Amino acid sequence: MRKILMTAVVCLVFVAAAWPAAAAGTFYLHDHSDYWWYVLSDVPFSAVVPATAQTYIERNVFGMNILEILMDNGSVSIEIASLKNSTIEAVRNSLEERFKPAVKDISVRSNRMITTSNNLQCHFYHYEATGNHGKKVMLRSVIFERNGNVVSLSLFLDADKYVGNVQQYWLRLVNDSEWN
């Protein structure tokens, strides 16, 4: 027990030193060493994120807190965004429009409500397209809404990279994340 507590304290000190004081959330140890709990500070939500990514960037854009997790030299991006006083539809529309200049031949694969393994209702939006670089690309997003708080979990990548660890990280993020 003492070893676990010391490990947690060391990790928290590392995380506190690595990210600015105005961070959008806090990282905590998870039961599985390949993951961290990321607890958002502006809305009552906790997400299970991969602990082995190359880069973690927290930022605030126009009042929306965003954690961007980059893997595979930046070619795989997981984004956790939280926003107060919004709706699922507004967030989904912004995701759809965001990369339109960089993609063509968009094929929407899913645009519906689903229930996660944690029994949470969310909106699942998924499209595939051809990227500006000529490869098949994928956007997968789930959007949770509760009491005017919206949290979106999004995955942006070349479609052929949605395998192995990347796929498992995404599925765990979607199915194990929860409202606090």
Side-chain angles (χ1 to χ4, degrees):
M1 180 66 174
R2 182 177 251 171
K3 185 177 180 179
I4 292 172
L5 184 58
M6 272 311 268
T7 303
V9 169
V10 169
C11 286
L12 288 175
V13 168
F14 170 78
V15 169
W19 281 278
T26 305
F27 292 87
Y28 294 96
L29 290 178
H30 189 274
D31 292 341
H32 192 290
S33 63
D34 288 345
Y35 298 92
W36 285 331
W37 278 105
Y38 179 70
V39 179
L40 286 74
S41 62
D42 60 336
V43 299
F45 194 85
S46 298
V48 176
V49 300
T52 57
Q54 292 167 319
T55 306
Y56 299 82
I57 302 167
E58 290 185 296
R59 55 197 167 119
N60 182 293
V61 179
F62 308 131
M64 179 169 56
N65 286 317
I66 301 168
L67 170 66
E68 186 174 20
I69 301 168
L70 301 175
M71 295 178 280
D72 195 18
N73 297 313
S75 65
V76 175
S77 175
I78 295 175
E79 186 176 273
I80 300 165
S82 58
L83 189 61
K84 292 184 172 205
N85 303 316
S86 191
T87 64
I88 287 174
E89 191 62 21
V91 172
R92 191 201 58 77
N93 286 339
S94 71
L95 286 167
E96 185 176 55
E97 294 296 319
R98 185 175 179 184
F99 294 106
K100 255 191 180 166
V103 296
K104 62 183 179 184
D105 303 324
I106 294 173
S107 173
V108 176
R109 301 298 178 137
S110 186
N111 187 10
R112 63 189 171 89
M113 295 298 291
I114 64 169
T115 303
T116 69
S117 296
N118 271 352
N119 206 27
L120 296 180
Q121 290 285 314
C122 61
H123 188 89
F124 176 51
Y125 182 69
H126 166 211
Y127 76 63
E128 293 180 0
T130 303
N132 207 28
H133 59 355
K135 295 181 181 178
K136 185 176 175 183
V137 297
M138 176 187 297
L139 159 68
R140 298 177 81 83
S141 186
V142 293
I143 307 165
F144 299 89
E145 182 180 19
R146 181 193 253 180
N147 301 327
N149 297 315
V150 176
V151 175
S152 69
L153 313 174
S154 301
L155 176 66
F156 312 95
L157 70 165
D158 291 346
D160 64 353
K161 293 186 179 196
Y162 186 65
V163 295
N165 284 342
V166 170
Q167 185 178 42
Q168 291 308 306
Y169 292 149
W170 172 250
L171 293 173
R172 187 115 191 212
L173 173 65
V174 170
N175 286 295
D176 289 359
S177 296
E178 61 193 23
W179 290 105
N180 299 337

